Each structure stands twice: as C-alpha cells, then as structure tokens.
Amino acid sequence: MRRIAGIVLAVLLTAGVVVAVVAGRSDEDKSTATKTVRMVIGSEKAEFFADPDVVKALAAKGYTVEAETSGSWAMEGLDLEGYDLAFPSSQAPATELAAKYEVRGTLPRPFYSPLVVVAHKNAAGVLADNGLATLDAEHRGTLKMAAYLDAARADRTWQQLRGAGKYGELTGTLYLSSTDPETSSSGALYLAAASYVDNGGKVVASDAEIERTAPLLHRLVSVQGAQQSSTDAAFRDFVSGAGNPLVLVYESQVASLLAGGQQPDDLVVLYPDTTVNSDHTAVPLTESGGALAGLLSADPELRRLAIRHGFRPQGVTAEFASATTYLKQELTGVRQAPVPTSTVLHELARRARG
C-alpha cells in the first residue's frame, strides 16, 4: 500500500505548481524587519499572511515573510531546499514533511479550523425538513452525517426530498462538493470523517476496513465530477451563487467573510455532527522558521489577527467569538473523528478517486 501511495503522490506532485502570494511591505516595515522567512503554505492562509496588519506585526518582531501557496498534500513533492517553514493545513501532511526533512520534536499548531458545510438557505431548510439536518438559528445548524451518508449510499436526489420541488435550483443527486482528496487537505479530511462514521465510529486502520468503506467514499467523490484543488476557489464560487448548493469548506473562510462585513442572507453554516478539525501544523525547516511558528502560537497580536481571519487559536476557546448567528463559539455537539495514518488516508483518497 505504501508503494502505491508513493507512486500516486509522485504522479500528482510532478504537476504541482506553487504560486507566490505575498508579501509587500511598507518602507517602515522594511526598516524594522531583520530576517526574511521563506515559507510554503496552504492557500487558505494566503489572506492572513498578506494582511498588512499581519505584515506589520511580524515586522515589529523582526520578521518579513515570503509565502507561496501549495496544496497541503502536494508539499511533500516540492523541493523545499532554501525554505524556512512548511505550513500545511492539517497534521497528517505535516507529519509526512517532518519525517522527510528529519524535523524532530513537537510540531507547532498555532491555530485550527473545523470543516463545515455552507448551504443555501433553501437547501438547508429542505435537509432539515427531511431529517438530514437541524437548524438552531437562522443561519446555523448541524448536518447529520450518518443520515447524509445513508442518502448518498442510496443515490438520493433532491427531487426525492419533501419540499424540494418548490425550488428549481435543487435538482439532481444530493451531494456535498469537496476538493480533490489526493491533493487537498480538506478533501482528504472529508474522507476521514465519512470513513469514520461508515466504519461504525472507528478510525479506518486495516486493509479490510479500507475495502469495506471504499465503495461509499468512491460514491461521495465520483458524483461530483471534476473537483477543485482549493477550498478558496470552491468557496468563492459558492458565495457568487455558482455551483452546488452544499459545499465543504473551512469555518475560517466563513468567519473571514463575516469579519469583512459581509453577511449573506442566503448563507447557512452546517456543522457536521462528526467532522475533523484542520490543525494548521507548522514544520520548521530552519531556526528562523521555528521562531516564527512560535510567534504565531504565542504572540497576542498575531493570535488576535488569526481570529480576525477566522482561525481558532489553540488553547483558549473563549478568544473565538461570533457576533452573528452564523458560527458556533464552542463546538458543542460536534464529534471530532480521528484521522487515519497518512498511508491509509492516501489509499482511501486513491480508492475514492479511482
């Protein structure tokens, strides 16, 4: 299985393209900063590191950041010689990178974000009326994962759901749009959560359990057709009104949208009752990279700015507060599914896409 996963990764990552996203800075910042830290990051953190206030806060501590984006799983195939820090969006690819570059010790996890489903209001209402979700506020609710997976297993369509006929946009097979699980962390974590539920509340760990859960995972992915490689693109499409009425994204993307002053009336945030947190895990490749990762975890101003961009700092739940009815302050009623080993997760992704 490991050999297969390695071959899959090699094929995938040969085509990986890294895009520079950051980092202009003012003359004042240039005069303050003394060290430049080169890093490769998941695309969901691009806006955070491009934020002028973040640039200024880092400069005040003596750092300038040059960040480039890459799919979290694709980082393993990049040549990171000359980089100071790799910062994927979850722990599994970070662990792979740490092993590859012989990084020892505990990897810093400055902040995290749970996976959520953004839904158009009509779609969320139909799900609730058919026992697939519950709504506890106008713009917030819970997706019942077991019920949703049963519907996916049965190839249920929107037309088969009571009340959907009133809405012309709710047609075709019922499914969540997710990113490509072979290159994107959010897509892989979706499979981790779904396989955990389908495996009777146990993390998939054996060949037999992979064999048993693979057909459902393949159904979840194959119904989508072409998948995006980035949650950023999928979320932008959803906000613009394009695409599927149910899209899996990071909570941080919704929080960032709200913090920017937008409060779409047609948006409902559904927290899966079984999900996986995206633990943004840093892999220090140099001493400077490790120092910057430590700042992200400990510096009060950088923690405040992370919250502004929708990330939940590790340690203190009360720091993350929503002034709207869209988000939960505390993740009550949300079960965190353990993530399979990287080898198993790669194989689940391969089988799902195959």
Side-chain angles (χ1 to χ4, degrees), residues 44 71-74 89-90 178-189 228-231 250:
E44 70 289 328
S72 291
W73 284 109
S89 58
S90 62
S178 62
T179 53
D180 183 345
E182 290 188 306
T183 59
S184 169
S185 180
S186 62
L189 294 180
Q228 301 270 19
S229 60
S230 162
T231 52
Y250 294 114

mmCIF file of all heavy atoms in Angstrom, residues 44 71-74 89-90 178-189 228-231 250:
data_model
loop_
_atom_site.group_PDB
_atom_site.id
_atom_site.type_symbol
_atom_site.label_atom_id
_atom_site.label_comp_id
_atom_site.label_asym_id
_atom_site.label_seq_id
_atom_site.Cartn_x
_atom_site.Cartn_y
_atom_site.Cartn_z
ATOM 1 N N GLU A 44 -5.467 28.493 2.047
ATOM 2 C CA GLU A 44 -6.443 29.094 2.949
ATOM 3 C C GLU A 44 -5.805 30.108 3.902
ATOM 4 O O GLU A 44 -6.512 30.911 4.523
ATOM 5 C CB GLU A 44 -7.178 28.003 3.739
ATOM 6 C CG GLU A 44 -6.325 27.285 4.773
ATOM 7 C CD GLU A 44 -5.283 26.376 4.150
ATOM 8 O OE1 GLU A 44 -5.551 25.823 3.058
ATOM 9 O OE2 GLU A 44 -4.192 26.230 4.745
ATOM 10 N N GLY A 71 -0.980 23.028 -2.565
ATOM 11 C CA GLY A 71 -1.852 22.061 -1.930
ATOM 12 C C GLY A 71 -1.114 21.400 -0.781
ATOM 13 O O GLY A 71 0.080 21.101 -0.880
ATOM 14 N N SER A 72 -1.802 21.160 0.333
ATOM 15 C CA SER A 72 -1.121 20.657 1.524
ATOM 16 C C SER A 72 -0.431 19.324 1.271
ATOM 17 O O SER A 72 0.712 19.098 1.673
ATOM 18 C CB SER A 72 -2.121 20.537 2.674
ATOM 19 O OG SER A 72 -2.544 21.814 3.104
ATOM 20 N N TRP A 73 -1.136 18.391 0.581
ATOM 21 C CA TRP A 73 -0.526 17.103 0.299
ATOM 22 C C TRP A 73 0.559 17.226 -0.766
ATOM 23 O O TRP A 73 1.499 16.428 -0.810
ATOM 24 C CB TRP A 73 -1.578 16.090 -0.142
ATOM 25 C CG TRP A 73 -2.408 15.576 0.990
ATOM 26 C CD1 TRP A 73 -3.714 15.847 1.245
ATOM 27 C CD2 TRP A 73 -1.986 14.696 2.034
ATOM 28 N NE1 TRP A 73 -4.145 15.201 2.384
ATOM 29 C CE2 TRP A 73 -3.098 14.479 2.886
ATOM 30 C CE3 TRP A 73 -0.779 14.062 2.344
ATOM 31 C CZ2 TRP A 73 -3.037 13.669 4.012
ATOM 32 C CZ3 TRP A 73 -0.722 13.248 3.460
ATOM 33 C CH2 TRP A 73 -1.850 13.063 4.271
ATOM 34 N N ALA A 74 0.431 18.230 -1.628
ATOM 35 C CA ALA A 74 1.419 18.394 -2.701
ATOM 36 C C ALA A 74 2.762 18.884 -2.183
ATOM 37 O O ALA A 74 3.777 18.759 -2.871
ATOM 38 C CB ALA A 74 0.891 19.362 -3.750
ATOM 39 N N SER A 89 -2.257 22.645 5.957
ATOM 40 C CA SER A 89 -3.485 22.956 6.686
ATOM 41 C C SER A 89 -3.950 21.836 7.605
ATOM 42 O O SER A 89 -5.000 21.958 8.226
ATOM 43 C CB SER A 89 -4.608 23.299 5.700
ATOM 44 O OG SER A 89 -4.827 22.225 4.819
ATOM 45 N N SER A 90 -3.181 20.756 7.708
ATOM 46 C CA SER A 90 -3.563 19.712 8.653
ATOM 47 C C SER A 90 -2.334 18.950 9.116
ATOM 48 O O SER A 90 -1.246 19.077 8.547
ATOM 49 C CB SER A 90 -4.597 18.763 8.037
ATOM 50 O OG SER A 90 -4.075 18.105 6.920
ATOM 51 N N SER A 178 -16.686 18.836 -2.542
ATOM 52 C CA SER A 178 -15.448 18.886 -1.770
ATOM 53 C C SER A 178 -14.278 18.990 -2.728
ATOM 54 O O SER A 178 -14.428 18.840 -3.947
ATOM 55 C CB SER A 178 -15.306 17.637 -0.890
ATOM 56 O OG SER A 178 -15.251 16.465 -1.696
ATOM 57 N N THR A 179 -13.099 19.249 -2.191
ATOM 58 C CA THR A 179 -11.905 19.363 -3.025
ATOM 59 C C THR A 179 -11.304 17.985 -3.295
ATOM 60 O O THR A 179 -11.661 16.991 -2.671
ATOM 61 C CB THR A 179 -10.855 20.255 -2.340
ATOM 62 O OG1 THR A 179 -10.618 19.749 -1.021
ATOM 63 C CG2 THR A 179 -11.328 21.695 -2.259
ATOM 64 N N ASP A 180 -10.388 17.949 -4.232
ATOM 65 C CA ASP A 180 -9.722 16.703 -4.638
ATOM 66 C C ASP A 180 -8.960 16.120 -3.444
ATOM 67 O O ASP A 180 -8.009 16.739 -2.952
ATOM 68 C CB ASP A 180 -8.755 17.016 -5.781
ATOM 69 C CG ASP A 180 -8.065 15.780 -6.338
ATOM 70 O OD1 ASP A 180 -8.095 14.730 -5.678
ATOM 71 O OD2 ASP A 180 -7.492 15.885 -7.435
ATOM 72 N N PRO A 181 -9.322 14.935 -2.955
ATOM 73 C CA PRO A 181 -8.684 14.393 -1.754
ATOM 74 C C PRO A 181 -7.243 13.961 -1.959
ATOM 75 O O PRO A 181 -6.525 13.732 -0.985
ATOM 76 C CB PRO A 181 -9.574 13.188 -1.406
ATOM 77 C CG PRO A 181 -10.152 12.760 -2.712
ATOM 78 C CD PRO A 181 -10.368 14.040 -3.475
ATOM 79 N N GLU A 182 -6.807 13.837 -3.222
ATOM 80 C CA GLU A 182 -5.431 13.425 -3.467
ATOM 81 C C GLU A 182 -4.460 14.598 -3.421
ATOM 82 O O GLU A 182 -3.253 14.394 -3.308
ATOM 83 C CB GLU A 182 -5.328 12.717 -4.812
ATOM 84 C CG GLU A 182 -5.998 11.349 -4.819
ATOM 85 C CD GLU A 182 -5.729 10.570 -6.080
ATOM 86 O OE1 GLU A 182 -5.978 11.106 -7.176
ATOM 87 O OE2 GLU A 182 -5.274 9.424 -5.968
ATOM 88 N N THR A 183 -4.961 15.815 -3.503
ATOM 89 C CA THR A 183 -4.072 16.979 -3.467
ATOM 90 C C THR A 183 -4.441 17.989 -2.393
ATOM 91 O O THR A 183 -3.626 18.827 -2.025
ATOM 92 C CB THR A 183 -4.080 17.709 -4.826
ATOM 93 O OG1 THR A 183 -5.412 18.130 -5.129
ATOM 94 C CG2 THR A 183 -3.561 16.812 -5.930
ATOM 95 N N SER A 184 -5.666 17.931 -1.898
ATOM 96 C CA SER A 184 -6.162 18.953 -0.969
ATOM 97 C C SER A 184 -6.475 18.342 0.390
ATOM 98 O O SER A 184 -7.118 17.291 0.487
ATOM 99 C CB SER A 184 -7.418 19.610 -1.546
ATOM 100 O OG SER A 184 -8.055 20.416 -0.573
ATOM 101 N N SER A 185 -6.058 19.027 1.431
ATOM 102 C CA SER A 185 -6.274 18.523 2.785
ATOM 103 C C SER A 185 -7.747 18.442 3.136
ATOM 104 O O SER A 185 -8.200 17.468 3.758
ATOM 105 C CB SER A 185 -5.551 19.430 3.790
ATOM 106 O OG SER A 185 -5.733 18.977 5.101
ATOM 107 N N SER A 186 -8.540 19.444 2.756
ATOM 108 C CA SER A 186 -9.952 19.429 3.140
ATOM 109 C C SER A 186 -10.677 18.244 2.520
ATOM 110 O O SER A 186 -11.522 17.604 3.163
ATOM 111 C CB SER A 186 -10.635 20.748 2.744
ATOM 112 O OG SER A 186 -10.610 20.939 1.339
ATOM 113 N N GLY A 187 -10.348 17.914 1.258
ATOM 114 C CA GLY A 187 -10.964 16.758 0.620
ATOM 115 C C GLY A 187 -10.582 15.467 1.305
ATOM 116 O O GLY A 187 -11.413 14.566 1.490
ATOM 117 N N ALA A 188 -9.323 15.355 1.717
ATOM 118 C CA ALA A 188 -8.875 14.148 2.416
ATOM 119 C C ALA A 188 -9.520 14.042 3.791
ATOM 120 O O ALA A 188 -9.909 12.944 4.229
ATOM 121 C CB ALA A 188 -7.349 14.167 2.542
ATOM 122 N N LEU A 189 -9.656 15.163 4.495
ATOM 123 C CA LEU A 189 -10.266 15.135 5.826
ATOM 124 C C LEU A 189 -11.756 14.791 5.746
ATOM 125 O O LEU A 189 -12.312 14.182 6.669
ATOM 126 C CB LEU A 189 -10.058 16.478 6.524
ATOM 127 C CG LEU A 189 -8.601 16.826 6.862
ATOM 128 C CD1 LEU A 189 -8.528 18.184 7.553
ATOM 129 C CD2 LEU A 189 -7.960 15.757 7.738
ATOM 130 N N GLN A 228 -12.408 20.868 -7.467
ATOM 131 C CA GLN A 228 -11.450 21.954 -7.289
ATOM 132 C C GLN A 228 -10.259 21.442 -6.488
ATOM 133 O O GLN A 228 -10.368 20.488 -5.711
ATOM 134 C CB GLN A 228 -12.103 23.113 -6.524
ATOM 135 C CG GLN A 228 -13.328 23.707 -7.180
ATOM 136 C CD GLN A 228 -12.986 24.837 -8.126
ATOM 137 O OE1 GLN A 228 -11.848 24.967 -8.575
ATOM 138 N NE2 GLN A 228 -13.963 25.668 -8.432
ATOM 139 N N SER A 229 -9.114 22.086 -6.638
ATOM 140 C CA SER A 229 -7.932 21.736 -5.850
ATOM 141 C C SER A 229 -7.785 22.626 -4.631
ATOM 142 O O SER A 229 -6.893 22.411 -3.807
ATOM 143 C CB SER A 229 -6.667 21.846 -6.714
ATOM 144 O OG SER A 229 -6.514 23.180 -7.189
ATOM 145 N N SER A 230 -8.658 23.624 -4.501
ATOM 146 C CA SER A 230 -8.544 24.593 -3.417
ATOM 147 C C SER A 230 -9.916 24.941 -2.867
ATOM 148 O O SER A 230 -10.866 25.158 -3.637
ATOM 149 C CB SER A 230 -7.860 25.873 -3.936
ATOM 150 O OG SER A 230 -8.083 26.967 -3.082
ATOM 151 N N THR A 231 -10.021 25.012 -1.547
ATOM 152 C CA THR A 231 -11.280 25.442 -0.943
ATOM 153 C C THR A 231 -11.558 26.910 -1.224
ATOM 154 O O THR A 231 -12.714 27.336 -1.215
ATOM 155 C CB THR A 231 -11.270 25.222 0.581
ATOM 156 O OG1 THR A 231 -10.101 25.830 1.139
ATOM 157 C CG2 THR A 231 -11.290 23.751 0.923
ATOM 158 N N TYR A 250 -13.681 25.406 5.040
ATOM 159 C CA TYR A 250 -13.211 25.631 6.398
ATOM 160 C C TYR A 250 -14.052 26.711 7.074
ATOM 161 O O TYR A 250 -14.426 27.714 6.437
ATOM 162 C CB TYR A 250 -11.748 26.075 6.401
ATOM 163 C CG TYR A 250 -10.780 25.023 5.925
ATOM 164 C CD1 TYR A 250 -10.065 25.202 4.749
ATOM 165 C CD2 TYR A 250 -10.581 23.853 6.652
ATOM 166 C CE1 TYR A 250 -9.169 24.243 4.304
ATOM 167 C CE2 TYR A 250 -9.690 22.882 6.216
ATOM 168 C CZ TYR A 250 -8.985 23.085 5.043
ATOM 169 O OH TYR A 250 -8.113 22.125 4.598
#
